[in-house]
Amino acid sequence: MKNIKFLTLLCIALLGFNSCETEDDVVFIANNSELSFSNSFQAEYILNQATAGNLAERFTWNSVDTGVPTNLTYELQKSILGDFTDAEPVGSTTANEIAVTVGDMLGYANEAGLDNDPTTDAPNTGNVSFRLKSVIGDNGEPVFSSAQALTLVLPEDTGMETEAICEVETLYAVGAGLPTAGWDWATPVAFECTGDGIWSGNVELTSDGDANFRFFTEATNWDSGRNYPFYADAGYTIDSNFENAGDGDSNFKFVGTSGVYFLTMDTNEKTITLGSAQGADTCEVEILYGVGAGLPTAGWDWATPVELLCTGDGVWSGNVQFQSTADNNNFRFFTEATNWDSGRNYPFYADDGYTIDANLVNAGDGDSNFAFVGTDGTYLLTIDSVNKTITLE
């Protein structure tokens, strides 16, 4: 009897051992059909070096369901040949997305032998294929998604400059947080389209008072405004120097240190960022001021001067309202606010060889100020100390 009991226990132990050994060797295999891209692809991807830092494509996919809790690693692979005999990893993650920039795509285009030179035999259009590889746990068999071929296009260089493409050419801003503008459409801050889907420019910001402002897609059209929630709800990462003003219009509020910054609105990366003013260290002074009767938003009053920001190498510019009323159309530039001795009148520039816009003449008054003789309105005023020009647009 004892022998029978012993043999029974031995069999149970052996069965348990084999059972455990089998569990250790389990290999989880997911169905390939479960792994697929979930993003929508473009018909073609037009690539240029000017937008190399922009997002080209964000690859996203569904999570593979193994039926049991386990670690999943996804790898995005590319193939120049298309059959993945030359497969190379683009990136790997345990999440469900990998972003690829225009710069990355340009590299793949180069590997594919594409170029934008119309004088060579190399094509400027070609395909690069992508697929997903998933590995389940530490010892799972890899599975792959179906391949997706993307068409890459390098616009041929014809020697002509191409304009960047944005929803609107200029994005405007007005508000108390923008001292050169205020809540006045006479002198809005203008951010020009400087890249595909990107507006940028130097801007003076103040945290004094309400410090609020709003962006607009159309000048003078209040209904085209875009406030803080407009961007926050769209998933934008907004610079920490800005917050929701919490006023009736949920405007932006500037809470940083007052000064001049370079603002970039990037609709590709969905970011609004502030950086150091660009070109500010290549101008004689960071801000050139204007006061006078010909500048109705300023007058001869240092409380509200027109401010032209340094926007490039030796270049100051800004939107300025002018009036041509007789005897009330004169004004002067200054390198220092409140310092009348820092003034620069019409002869200062004319004698230095500047070409001055025909709408601006010598006022012929006691200080030989400028006088505006054009049609009343708001103009983009640019003073270029390199090319020695003063222009109105």
Side-chain angles (χ1 to χ4, degrees):
M1 177 65 81
K2 289 182 180 179
N3 289 338
I4 293 173
K5 288 181 179 179
F6 174 76
L7 289 172
T8 301
L9 291 172
L10 180 60
C11 288
I12 292 172
L14 288 171
L15 287 171
F17 177 79
N18 289 336
S19 174
C20 292
E21 187 176 36
T22 301
E23 288 178 0
D24 288 342
D25 291 339
V26 167
V27 175
F28 295 106
I29 301 177
N31 191 323
N32 286 29
S33 63
E34 294 180 357
L35 185 60
S36 60
F37 292 111
S38 59
N39 56 296
S40 298
F41 293 99
Q42 301 175 37
E44 58 184 22
Y45 294 78
I46 300 176
L47 313 173
N48 61 73
Q49 195 62 47
T51 60
N54 292 358
L55 177 71
E57 185 59 76
R58 190 179 300 277
F59 292 86
T60 62
W61 53 89
N62 58 294
S63 296
V64 173
D65 184 8
T66 63
V68 295
T70 187
N71 294 325
L72 286 168
T73 300
Y74 301 100
E75 181 179 88
L76 179 65
Q77 298 181 336
K78 70 172 177 66
S79 170
I80 304 300
L81 297 177
D83 59 6
F84 288 91
T85 56
D86 60 337
E88 290 187 350
V90 172
S92 62
T93 179
T94 56
N96 295 85
E97 64 175 56
I98 290 178
V100 174
T101 66
V102 171
D104 295 328
M105 291 286 199
L106 284 168
Y108 308 153
N110 182 62
E111 290 181 52
L114 309 183
D115 73 31
N116 65 344
D117 187 346
T119 65
T120 69
D121 293 332
N124 72 314
T125 301
N127 292 335
V128 175
S129 295
F130 296 85
R131 73 178 181 185
L132 290 167
K133 172 184 175 182
S134 177
V135 179
I136 305 169
D138 296 326
N139 59 350
E141 292 292 332
V143 295
F144 299 92
S145 70
S146 297
Q148 176 68 49
L150 303 188
T151 300
L152 310 186
V153 179
L154 303 180
E156 290 189 340
D157 185 3
T158 61
M160 301 291 290
E161 291 187 4
T162 57
E163 292 186 358
I165 301 172
C166 291
E167 177 189 0
V168 292
E169 185 175 331
T170 305
L171 192 66
Y172 300 92
V174 295
L178 310 171
T180 63
W183 288 106
D184 188 347
W185 277 116
T187 53
V189 171
F191 298 100
E192 301 301 328
C193 178
T194 54
D196 289 349
I198 298 174
W199 295 275
S200 62
N202 287 337
V203 58
E204 185 178 6
L205 293 158
T206 180
S207 56
D208 295 336
D210 291 337
N212 57 352
F213 69 94
R214 191 155 75 255
F215 295 102
F216 297 85
T217 57
E218 297 178 35
T220 75
N221 182 1
W222 295 105
D223 292 334
S224 71
R226 294 180 171 181
N227 58 8
Y228 191 95
F230 175 89
Y231 294 99
D233 293 347
Y236 276 67
T237 300
I238 302 175
D239 196 284
S240 59
N241 285 299
F242 297 127
E243 63 180 34
N244 190 326
D247 49 18
D249 292 313
S250 296
N251 290 300
F252 282 79
K253 181 175 183 178
F254 178 68
V255 295
T257 301
S258 298
V260 179
Y261 296 82
F262 188 78
L263 183 145
T264 302
M265 171 91 65
D266 189 330
T267 63
N268 306 294
E269 296 291 341
K270 289 192 173 183
T271 57
I272 300 175
T273 56
L274 289 180
S276 299
Q278 292 193 9
D281 59 348
T282 60
C283 287
E284 178 188 359
V285 292
E286 189 173 286
I287 300 174
L288 199 61
Y289 301 91
V291 294
L295 311 174
T297 62
W300 290 104
D301 188 348
W302 278 116
T304 53
V306 166
E307 298 183 0
L308 303 176
L309 303 182
C310 176
T311 56
D313 293 345
V315 177
W316 296 268
S317 64
N319 288 304
V320 178
Q321 186 177 13
F322 290 92
Q323 70 174 16
S324 58
T325 305
D327 299 326
N328 285 290
N329 60 353
N330 60 347
F331 66 94
R332 191 155 76 255
F333 297 109
F334 297 85
T335 57
E336 297 177 34
T338 75
N339 182 1
W340 295 105
D341 292 333
S342 70
R344 294 180 171 180
N345 57 9
Y346 190 96
F348 175 89
Y349 293 98
D351 293 347
D352 196 27
Y354 275 68
T355 299
I356 302 174
D357 194 283
N359 287 306
L360 302 175
V361 300
N362 190 326
D365 51 17
D367 291 315
S368 295
N369 290 300
F370 284 82
F372 177 72
V373 294
T375 302
D376 292 5
T378 300
Y379 296 79
L380 176 64
L381 169 63
T382 301
I383 299 178
D384 186 334
S385 64
V386 176
N387 295 306
K388 292 192 174 183
T389 59
I390 300 177
T391 57
L392 296 179
E393 297 178 21

